[in-house]
């Protein structure tokens, strides 16, 4: 199975930090953030990792284009124009296998990825997402306020305490739901599947971090051992 990492965001909430550096390449302990994600995928012997790039894409191409790490090859894909998180996936649809792993390039969740993949997806579902407890992201509008029902279907409820943790297993055929070349993975795809009870969820108690804000980036740097070490 191949993996995709979303790397195209502008990182505007990080202010001056991302004026020169794309968000996934911001360093933590002298190492670009994205390399913590890549390292986990290399450990799984993922054959190909596609970096879906847009903003300051030349940095990704310079550092990772066709790079080989052990048994894993990194491939950089540049959008001809910003396409959004959904459009970035549609942009390489022909390169995808029937089932693929997708990860956000600005969040890290130290779960058992091998088990997450091997457990697969329910026959009745089109995708599976990893969920975490929403302790610190109350203003996050991207798939927060979620719950799991008794069959592990993801539902959206006003007082739901779970949130999307940025790791997805997706069936390629389900991408037909996205009709526009420029679209949002969250709003135009995942939320539609949630309404149709087509998304399976798995809740993990592991420590979760995203680096989308200055506060969270500082937290990741200060609590490195908590977030990035077993």
């Amino acid at each position: 199975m191949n993996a995709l990492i979303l790397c195209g965001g502008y990182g505007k909430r990080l202010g001056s930090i991302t004026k020169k550096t794309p968000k996934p390449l911001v360093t933590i302990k002298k190492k670009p953030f994205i390399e913590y994600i890549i390292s986990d995928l290399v450990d799984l012997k993922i054959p190909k990792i596609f970096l879906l790039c847009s903003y300051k894409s030349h940095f990704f191409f310079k550092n990772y284009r066709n790079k080989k790490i052990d048994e894993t090859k990194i491939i950089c894909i540049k959008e001809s124009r910003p396409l959004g998180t959904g459009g970035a996936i549609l942009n390489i649809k022909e390169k995808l296998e029937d089932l693929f792993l997708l990860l956000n390039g600005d969040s890290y969740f130290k779960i058992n990825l091998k088990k997450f993949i091997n457990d697969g997806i329910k026959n009745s579902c089109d995708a599976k997402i990893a969920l975490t407890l929403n302790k610190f992201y109350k203003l996050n509008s991207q798939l927060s306020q979620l719950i799991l029902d008794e069959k592990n279907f993801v539902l959206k409820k006003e007082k739901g305490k779970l949130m999307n943790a940025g790791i997805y297993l997706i069936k390629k055929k389900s991408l037909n739901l996205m009709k526009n070349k420029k679209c949002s993975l969250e709003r135009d795809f995942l939320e539609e599947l949630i309404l149709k009870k087509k998304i399976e969820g798995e809740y993990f108690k592991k420590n979760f971090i995203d680096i989308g804000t200055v506060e969270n980036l500082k937290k990741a740097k200060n609590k490195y051992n908590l977030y990035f070490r077993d």
Side-chain angles (χ1 to χ4, degrees):
M1 177 181 296
N2 295 326
L4 284 60
I5 304 179
L6 294 167
C7 303
Y10 288 98
K12 292 181 179 179
R13 292 179 298 168
L14 288 175
S16 61
I17 296 172
T18 47
K19 283 186 177 180
K20 295 183 178 180
T21 305
K23 186 165 47 173
L25 298 185
V26 171
T27 59
I28 295 179
K29 292 289 183 179
K30 299 181 180 180
K31 183 175 177 180
F33 181 80
I34 195 172
E35 292 191 8
Y36 293 99
I37 303 170
I38 290 174
S39 179
D40 287 349
L41 298 175
V42 169
D43 287 345
L44 288 178
K45 296 180 172 57
I46 296 290
K48 295 179 183 177
I49 300 173
F50 293 92
L51 304 186
L52 308 187
C53 313
S54 179
Y55 176 66
K56 297 191 179 297
S57 60
H58 60 282
F59 285 106
F60 295 99
F61 277 76
K62 178 182 178 181
N63 295 318
Y64 303 107
R65 184 181 188 182
N66 295 327
K67 185 174 182 178
K68 195 81 182 290
I69 307 175
D70 295 336
E71 299 177 33
T72 301
K73 183 178 181 180
I74 301 176
I75 301 170
C76 297
I77 304 292
K78 180 183 177 181
E79 301 166 18
S80 57
R81 60 186 176 89
L83 296 172
T85 48
I89 300 167
L90 291 180
N91 189 46
I92 65 160
K93 185 177 178 181
E94 70 281 358
K95 299 181 184 294
L96 301 178
E97 297 174 314
D98 291 340
L99 191 66
F100 62 93
L101 183 68
L102 175 70
L103 304 99
N104 289 349
D106 61 354
S107 61
Y108 186 83
F109 201 27
K110 188 69 173 180
I111 67 172
N112 187 336
L113 273 176
K114 184 176 182 179
K115 185 176 185 301
F116 184 77
I117 294 169
N118 289 343
D119 286 348
I121 306 173
K122 292 177 185 288
N123 290 333
S124 62
C125 290
D126 289 323
K128 179 170 70 173
I129 63 176
L131 300 173
T132 184
L133 190 63
N134 189 354
K135 293 180 180 179
F136 310 110
Y137 303 87
K138 301 302 183 183
L139 299 179
N140 180 10
S141 61
Q142 301 293 348
L143 294 181
S144 59
Q145 296 185 316
L146 302 176
I147 66 167
L148 290 174
D149 70 6
E150 67 281 357
K151 295 183 178 180
N152 288 328
F153 290 114
V154 177
L155 303 177
K156 195 160 188 177
K157 295 290 184 180
E158 185 175 344
K159 295 184 179 180
K161 295 182 179 180
L162 302 179
M163 63 177 276
N164 166 33
I167 299 177
Y168 322 84
L169 197 59
I170 300 175
K171 294 178 181 177
K172 177 181 175 179
K173 65 180 182 179
S174 67
L175 298 180
N176 294 328
L177 186 65
M178 291 190 279
K179 304 300 182 183
N180 300 317
K181 289 184 178 180
K182 183 178 182 180
C183 58
S184 165
L185 172 74
E186 296 83 5
R187 292 189 301 273
D188 302 316
F189 179 66
L190 295 176
E191 286 194 357
E192 288 292 320
L193 291 181
I194 288 174
L195 289 174
K196 296 177 180 180
K197 294 189 76 170
K198 289 286 188 178
I199 291 193
E200 176 185 0
E202 188 170 356
Y203 167 66
F204 296 90
K205 293 182 179 180
K206 298 292 185 178
N207 291 306
F208 170 81
I209 186 67
D210 81 63
I211 58 167
T213 66
V214 174
E215 180 183 357
N216 290 335
L217 178 58
K218 288 180 179 178
K219 188 184 298 182
K221 291 183 176 182
N222 292 335
K223 297 185 178 181
Y224 168 80
N225 289 326
L226 176 63
Y227 291 117
F228 301 105
R229 296 296 186 191
D230 291 327

